[in-house]
């Protein structure tokens, strides 16, 4: 490989940031002093490729220390990893949280997505941009996963160490304080405040939140922790997969693929090693359940991942965690460290001769990385673009090896399956949608937050728990990739099959209520802007279609009736093209919410 580097040099701080991650350079080729090492020596072949996956952590290291990624810093990282600079530049510019242009060390991300828009994000942004001062870069951001406390802002101040502060619900004053004095900003409320049912009897997935100290492994074990893992070792890998299959568990990320079948397909692959990936990059606007689970009950995810890895024969697991979740990252890092120190991760888990460990990889602001193959590319150090399938991940996933990918909620469901048994678990919910489900309720409700209900409860029952404010205008199910329903459709059962029969989708469990004060055309325009920004650009139907969709909505946002008919027809044509021809689910679902608003709500009549 012929690598061409520019003449720009890293600063001492940039070099220190990379070396803190990778260790000191071993040769002049990697940037060491020529008097200490031989310029002719360089990593190559397999050894160089095996380090490629450190590109994303390296970009984070520079961005966290400096606040942006200069040409010199990027070149030095490329030398250390033997990565072509053009490819590294392509990766660095792919993620919204990175910048390759100079900017202040403090970045204030102000959410402008659906729940925050309904809660006054536009006025907040205008006030913050006027008051923040020249030392703060204000970034209008997609969903920060803080919808229950909208409007929300996240401040990130680069340095050693990087400092973060959250303001939610944010005012101009609290957002500016978070940016200018992150160490003085008020602490975030406990995760339990995002769970209106916290402490109630009968909860399954949320039973420990608000009850157990999320930092204490002993407290977790005293409240039933690691009982499921001991059951798993008693059953053996095949027995665990059989229990998960008999329980009827399906993926909770929206695709609803049977988890047991996925595990069995991976476990049976002769190619090794096998990998386990937890998708904690919940970027769907309106989704925040995985954040609450990781902040309020992090050991449950560590235990569940250990069980899944045991079942499929994986000895290495990755958590791909949203870069906008600093507290969840800290909580999970602590839980993994404690589990490792106590023999619950490592070379001999619980003395059973099973080796497994977990590594956290932080995302950097790319909705598309919620798609499993885009996530694999991101971990491997490439642009987070989806791969064509087949081959499927169970055959060739992460690093080209058999891989199981599940999200946080799916994995945590494995614990009650093993503790209560598959028949008892399957008795919860309906015959086709078994078990409990978490719903993220936000918008025009009195008690926003995470709710746990058995599959089969109706939309009306859920909204009654949350308490609708004002005159209900519409409900968005499934987030930006979902669809709207009318106030007279609250009898829809919250199951995968029930929502499909009603012509909508359950998705990952997003339920956003909007009263009649929220301008629906502006919401649709924000959804279109979101998909335009988040399209990876790999395929033409999505890359061009999301732009054309936004353009059409701009033209008709102030027009109705016959004046808008031509653009509505164009929207339908573009939407069908995206749905039929896009490579992945982003393009295939980018038209869903707009279509439902036109057909079910009469948005432009």
């Amino acid at each position: 490989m012929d690598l061409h580097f520019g003449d720009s040099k890293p600063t001492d701080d940039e070099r220190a940031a990379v070396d803190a991650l990778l260790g000191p350079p071993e040769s002049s080729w990697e940037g060491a002093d020529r008097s200490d090492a031989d310029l002719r020596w360089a990593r190559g072949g397999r050894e160089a490729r095996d380090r490629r996956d450190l590109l994303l952590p390296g970009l984070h290291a520079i961005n966290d220390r400096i606040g942006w990624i200069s040409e010199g810093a990027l070149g030095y990282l490329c030398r250390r990893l033997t990565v072509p600079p053009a490819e590294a530049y392509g990766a660095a510019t792919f993620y919204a949280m990175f910048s390759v242009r100079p900017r202040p060390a403090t970045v204030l991300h102000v959410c402008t997505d659906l729940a925050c828009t309904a809660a006054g994000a536009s006025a907040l942004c205008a006030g913050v941009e006027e008051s923040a001062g020249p030392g703060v870069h204000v970034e209008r951001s997609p969903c920060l996963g803080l919808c229950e406390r909208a409007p929300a802002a996240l401040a990130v101040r680069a340095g050693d160490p990087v400092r973060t502060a959250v303001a939610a619900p944010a005012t101009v004053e609290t957002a500016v304080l978070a940016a200018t004095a992150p160490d003085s900003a008020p602490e975030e409320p406990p995760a339990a405040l995002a769970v209106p049912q916290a402490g109630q009897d009968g909860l399954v997935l949320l039973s420990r939140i608000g009850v157990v100290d999320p930092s204490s492994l002993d407290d977790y074990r005293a409240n039933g922790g690691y009982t499921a893992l001991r059951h798993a070792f008693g059953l053996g890998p095949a027995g665990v997969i059989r229990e998960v299959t008999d329980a009827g568990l399906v993926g909770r990320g929206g695709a609803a693929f049977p988890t047991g079948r996925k595990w069995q397909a991976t476990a049976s692959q002769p190619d090794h090693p096998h990998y386990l990936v937890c998708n904690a990059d919940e970027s769907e606007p309106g989704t925040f359940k995985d954040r609450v689970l990781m902040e309020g009950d992090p050991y449950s995810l560590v235990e569940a991942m250990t069980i899944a890895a045991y079942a499929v024969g994986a000895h290495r697991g990755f958590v791909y965690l949203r870069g906008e979740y600093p507290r969840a990252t800290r909580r999970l890092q602590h839980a993994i460290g404690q589990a490792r120190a106590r023999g619950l991760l490592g070379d001999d888990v619980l003395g059973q001769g099973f080796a497994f460990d977990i590594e956290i990889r932080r995302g950097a602001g790319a909705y598309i990385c919620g798609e499993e193959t885009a996530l694999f590319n991101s971990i491997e150090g490439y642009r987070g673009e989806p791969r064509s399938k087949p081959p499927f991940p169970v055959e060739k996933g992460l690093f080209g090896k058999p891989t199981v990918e599940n999200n946080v909620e799916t994995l945590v469901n494995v614990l009650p399956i093993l503790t209560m048994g598959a028949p008892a678990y399957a008795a919860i919910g309906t015959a086709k949608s078994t078990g409990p489900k978490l719903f993220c309720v936000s918008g025009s409700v009195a008690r926003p937050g995470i709710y746990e209900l058995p599959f089969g409860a109706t939309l009306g029952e859920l909204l009654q728990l949350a308490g609708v404010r004002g005159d209900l205008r519409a409900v968005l199910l499934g987030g930006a990739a979902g669809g709207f329903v009318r106030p007279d459709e609250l009898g829809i059962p919250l199951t995968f099959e029930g929502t499909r029969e009603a012509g909508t989708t359950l998705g990952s469990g997003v339920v956003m209520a909007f009263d009649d004060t929220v301008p629906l055309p502006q919401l649709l325009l924000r959804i279109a802007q979101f998909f335009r920004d988040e399209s990876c650009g790999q395929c033409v139907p999505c890359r061009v279609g999301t732009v054309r969709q936004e353009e059409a909505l701009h033209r008709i946002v102030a027009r109705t009736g016959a004046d808008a008919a031509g653009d509505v027809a164009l929207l339908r044509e573009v939407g069908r093209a995206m749905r039929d021809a896009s490579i992945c689910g982003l393009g295939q679902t980018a038209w869903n919410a707009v279509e439902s608003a036109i057909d079910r709500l009469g948005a432009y009549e």
Side-chain angles (χ1 to χ4, degrees), residues 114-127:
L114 303 179
C116 290
T117 291
S122 296
L124 175 64
C125 284

Side-chain angles (χ1 to χ4, degrees), residues 554-592:
H554 269 296
R555 289 194 296 268
I556 66 177
V557 72
R559 294 181 286 148
T560 57
D563 292 337
D567 279 317
V568 169
L570 176 63
L571 280 172
R572 293 189 188 279
E573 184 177 348
V574 170
R576 284 194 296 267
M578 288 193 291
R579 182 176 293 164
D580 293 342
S582 295
I583 289 176
C584 79
L586 188 151
Q588 293 164 11
T589 60
W591 152 246
N592 285 0

Side-chain angles (χ1 to χ4, degrees), residues 146 148-149 166-169 186-195 214 291-292 295-296 327 331:
L146 295 163
E148 85 280 14
R149 289 182 273 149
V166 167
E187 287 189 14
E188 286 191 71
L193 285 188
V195 182
R291 170 183 64 82
V292 174
E295 289 180 350
R327 183 165 71 168
R331 292 270 171 88

